[in-house]
Amino acid sequence: MKRFLVLLLALVMGLALMGCQSQEPADNDQQSAEPEIKDVILATTTSTQDSGLLDVLEPMFEEQTGYNIKTVAVGTGQALSMGEKGEADVLLTHAMAAEKELVDSGAVVNYQLVMHNDFVIVGPPADPAGIKELATAKEALAKIAETGSVFVSRGDDSGTHKQELALWKDAGIEPAGDWYVETGSGMGKTLAVANEKEGYTLTDRATYLAHQQNLESEILLEGDAVLLNIYHVMQVNPEKFEKVNGPGAKAFVEFMIDPATQDVIKEFGVDQYGQPLFFPDAHTTVEELLGQ
């Protein structure tokens, strides 16, 4: 009888010990899945917010990873400046030449192609400069300047502003005078001012479509190869800036190039506008995108 009781007690203790051991990995897994620093500061261009894309992607990222996204939507120039100073964890921007400077300096790492859309020139339906039948942005800007038609610029060092200045330079024109208006504001505000002044402006297609119902402005020039608008995502270098949330930034980069996220980007806007606002490009190269 004593032998039976000893065996029974040993069996009970053994089962209890096995239960504790089986629970321990589950507890550890649960703890490891919880981010140590939950907030991730995303510095990005206003177009990703104004288009509504981030309203869709941010909750997805937070639910999948447990991180909290803190978005700062500014011009691309300011977003890149935040990255250069270590004031953000991750960047989503669209100014390749300026981005490459940060990559080359080591301020950012894990530089990944995400998506593209395009720039268009919009203006009043009456088209006083007569650009609608032209084929290139260079010709269009030359006609706008020649006729002194109102052109509204963001003037905010954003990716769109950088692209606009590059187009003026290509046209051999230094824009200045009463006809050239700078808002110092984001794309949504600039579209509203151009609409009010019956002027022209350069905009990304996504933001224009998102605001189209409130505008009389129409797309008057599109399709020029120089108007391609390419977005990259990148981590601010955690080895250079100790306060940067490296794991959170890496998680966001991986999320943006994940096939499931790319599928969401591909379909974004189709139900409302009949066309996608962005085209996913992860795991391709800029050279392939440009057909080079």
Side-chain angles (χ1 to χ4, degrees):
M1 186 64 177
K2 287 182 180 181
R3 180 180 176 83
F4 174 76
L5 290 174
V6 170
L7 290 173
L8 181 60
L9 180 60
L11 178 61
V12 171
M13 291 178 65
L15 290 173
L17 181 61
M18 289 176 62
C20 291
Q21 290 175 338
S22 64
Q23 275 190 329
E24 187 175 352
D27 291 341
N28 288 341
D29 288 345
Q30 186 174 3
Q31 290 173 1
S32 64
E34 187 71 18
E36 184 177 346
I37 302 174
K38 297 192 70 173
D39 289 344
V40 178
I41 300 174
L42 166 66
T44 186
T45 173
T46 57
S47 60
T48 56
Q49 186 170 68
D50 288 348
S51 65
L53 179 63
L54 287 182
D55 293 335
V56 174
L57 296 184
E58 286 176 0
M60 289 176 53
F61 172 71
E62 292 178 344
E63 182 178 355
Q64 291 179 21
T65 65
Y67 287 104
N68 297 324
I69 279 285
K70 305 293 184 183
T71 300
V72 182
V74 290
T76 282
Q78 190 173 344
L80 293 173
S81 178
M82 289 178 66
E84 188 174 25
K85 298 173 184 176
E87 295 174 349
D89 301 313
V90 63
L91 311 178
L92 177 60
T93 54
H94 61 132
M96 284 194 297
E99 292 161 2
K100 289 296 289 181
E101 291 179 8
L102 264 66
V103 173
D104 293 341
S105 73
V108 299
V109 294
N110 200 7
Y111 183 62
Q112 301 286 343
L113 178 61
V114 175
M115 61 190 181
H116 77 275
N117 60 8
D118 62 343
F119 292 108
V120 295
I121 297 178
V122 302
D127 188 18
I131 71 169
K132 193 170 186 177
E133 303 304 320
L134 300 178
T136 68
K138 181 178 180 178
E139 293 173 304
L141 293 182
K143 286 289 288 183
I144 290 170
E146 178 187 335
T147 59
S149 301
V150 174
F151 186 95
V152 181
S153 168
R154 286 181 58 164
D156 63 349
D157 196 34
S158 62
T160 303
H161 185 220
K162 291 177 184 294
Q163 176 69 14
E164 178 217 319
L165 294 179
L167 293 173
W168 285 116
K169 183 177 181 180
D170 185 51
I173 298 169
E174 184 72 33
D178 293 341
W179 60 274
Y180 187 72
V181 180
E182 293 183 286
T183 67
S185 299
M187 198 68 255
K189 175 66 174 178
T190 300
L191 279 166
V193 172
N195 187 72
E196 179 184 346
K197 292 183 175 293
E198 297 184 347
Y200 298 88
T201 193
L202 179 75
T203 176
D204 64 287
R205 186 185 297 269
T207 306
Y208 170 73
L209 289 175
H211 290 263
Q212 183 179 18
Q213 62 183 356
N214 300 317
L215 304 172
E216 294 182 8
S217 300
E218 297 179 353
I219 294 177
L220 299 176
L221 188 132
E222 60 185 324
D224 188 348
V226 301
L227 296 179
L228 200 63
N229 185 25
I230 301 173
Y231 290 79
H232 285 82
V233 66
M234 66 213 82
Q235 291 180 241
V236 178
N237 192 344
E239 295 184 2
K240 189 170 184 177
F241 304 101
E242 60 181 18
K243 294 184 178 180
V244 163
N245 184 351
K250 182 180 180 182
F252 186 80
V253 171
E254 291 175 349
F255 167 79
M256 289 299 295
I257 64 175
D258 183 84
T261 305
Q262 292 280 291
D263 285 343
V264 172
I265 292 172
K266 181 179 180 180
E267 296 300 322
F268 178 71
V270 173
D271 57 344
Q272 187 171 357
Y273 305 109
Q275 58 182 297
L277 300 195
F278 299 92
F279 297 87
D281 296 315
H283 311 295
T284 61
T285 66
V286 171
E287 290 72 23
E288 289 172 334
L289 186 60
L290 297 175
Q292 298 177 349

